[in-house]
Amino acid sequence: MNPVAAGFRHLDRLSDDTGLFEHARHAVVRREHGYCTDDVARGLVVTSREGDPAPEVVRLSERYLAFLTHAQDPSGAFHNRLTYDRRWSDRPGAGDWWGRAVWGLGTAAARNAAPWIREEALLAFTLGAARRSPHPRAMVFAGLGAAEVLRVRPDCVLAAGLLADAAAAVGVPAGDPGWPWPQPQLTYANAALAEVVVAAGRHSGDDALLTGGLRMLTWLRDIQTRNGLLSVVPATGWRRHTPRPRHDQQPIEVAALADACATAAAVTGDPAWHTGVRQASAWFLGANDRGTAMWDPATGGGYDGLTRDGPNLNQGAESTIALISTMQHARNLP
């Protein structure tokens, strides 16, 4: 079996009638850690990207949408953590989970195969998109949701404003040609920053903004390529003027790069960007620093990280969704 054929098998295992569990020990759900809006939103993104979903994938979309609308308060903010006994353990806010929720809702509003899901997701997106976050990555994730809505509603003023504000939150690179990045450190989901700038430049017709986003993505792709293989910035990050560590590499970095390269290919029409998608899918299949597969054919789950000693065999929601997302892009390659 290959990862494309495995599909949503493990994601379904991680889900129940309430939502999507965050963690697993190997492939076994760890209920004690409960659910989080971050991962449910990621789940809604990948289930909504399926053009002809199986009935079980539609049911997953329904559950994830219900979770997000339950997590959202009247101001458009979101709770993030729900315990297994169905109690929120936090107050609503506009952290990264808000951004991912808006991303998931925007994707569902634009792409989900079920018309009623698109309609309900748009209502929740509209409420959430009126908010702003002081956190740049939260703005970036929300901006990606706005870009999805603009694909089908290019005259949506609310989405256009959010996308523009997200690109502004990224900032502009300093004058150092050796570090053409707007922040002094690479942390997590780095390619999403370049992707939202590319999307904003395309939508606004701002060629300078578009070119800047593509330049960011080119540099990020190049510095994460070693001997033709993808070698992404690890969970500890990488700060300018310091040695770059190689482990623990996280699947979310690979998926973010695949997302951004797919967007760059669609925006520019340049098939050279497909190379990034192919490298990302190959990383899961074993074309990585350890030469080992980063998914489990027996379960269909994605491994949680690439360590110095090989894969972390736990198969949580984030890593499994990263696998699914990357393989969706690979499946769509010409």
Side-chain angles (χ1 to χ4, degrees), residues 142-164:
L144 294 175
E148 289 284 357
V149 170
L150 289 166
R151 292 175 63 248
V152 294
R153 297 173 178 263
D155 58 348
C156 180
V157 175
L158 180 69
L162 177 56
L163 179 57

Side-chain angles (χ1 to χ4, degrees), residues 78-321:
F78 289 84
H79 291 279
N80 187 32
R81 298 203 170 273
L82 185 71
T83 62
Y84 183 55
D85 62 357
R86 285 31 171 203
R87 297 175 186 270
W88 294 111
S89 61
D90 60 355
R91 298 181 63 83
D96 282 6
W97 60 93
W98 164 81
R100 289 195 186 278
V102 174
W103 183 5
L105 292 166
T107 304
R111 299 199 194 203
N112 199 277
W116 75 266
I117 290 179
R118 295 197 301 270
E119 293 169 7
E120 291 296 324
L122 183 62
L123 290 175
F125 168 85
T126 300
L127 182 59
R131 296 279 308 227
R132 293 295 184 269
S133 173
H135 307 293
R137 269 178 173 70
M139 288 296 296
V140 164
F141 299 143
L144 294 175
E148 289 284 357
V149 170
L150 289 166
R151 292 175 63 248
V152 294
R153 297 173 178 263
D155 58 348
C156 180
V157 175
L158 180 69
L162 177 56
L163 179 57
D165 288 347
V170 172
V172 295
D176 182 357
W179 190 271
W181 196 254
Q183 299 175 354
Q185 182 176 9
L186 294 172
T187 56
Y188 65 97
N190 295 292
L193 277 68
E195 183 183 4
V196 84
V197 174
V198 168
R202 171 60 182 271
H203 178 75
S204 65
D206 186 332
D207 289 341
L209 189 63
L210 173 59
T211 300
L214 292 171
R215 186 179 299 117
M216 287 171 57
L217 183 57
T218 298
W219 176 77
L220 185 65
R221 181 192 61 188
D222 289 348
I223 62 103
Q224 294 190 117
T225 301
R226 185 194 300 268
N227 298 323
L229 304 180
L230 201 58
S231 179
V232 295
V233 172
T236 52
W238 180 33
R239 183 170 289 275
R240 181 172 51 177
H241 304 315
T242 64
R244 179 180 157 191
R246 294 177 62 183
H247 305 290
D248 217 7
Q249 295 179 32
Q250 302 291 295
I252 187 177
E253 294 305 316
V254 179
L257 187 66
D259 277 348
C261 287
T263 293
V267 164
T268 65
D270 183 355
W273 287 107
H274 294 153
T275 299
V277 177
R278 293 189 177 95
Q279 287 176 318
S281 62
W283 185 90
F284 282 100
L285 298 175
N288 51 52
D289 284 336
R290 298 299 302 169
T292 184
M294 286 300 297
W295 76 292
D296 185 348
T299 66
Y303 293 137
D304 277 357
L306 182 61
T307 76
R308 189 181 307 275
D309 300 318
N312 173 342
L313 298 178
N314 293 334
Q315 300 164 36
E318 180 184 284
S319 55
T320 294
I321 292 167

Side-chain angles (χ1 to χ4, degrees), residues 7-9 11-12 43-44 46-64 112-113 117 324 328:
F8 293 82
R9 191 155 49 100
L11 199 64
D12 186 63
L44 187 57
V46 294
T47 56
S48 295
R49 283 177 176 173
E50 289 293 296
D52 184 22
E56 55 269 24
V57 176
V58 175
R59 287 193 293 271
L60 289 176
S61 285
E62 293 172 0
R63 290 179 226 165
Y64 300 160
N112 199 277
I117 290 179
I324 294 170
Q328 285 177 323

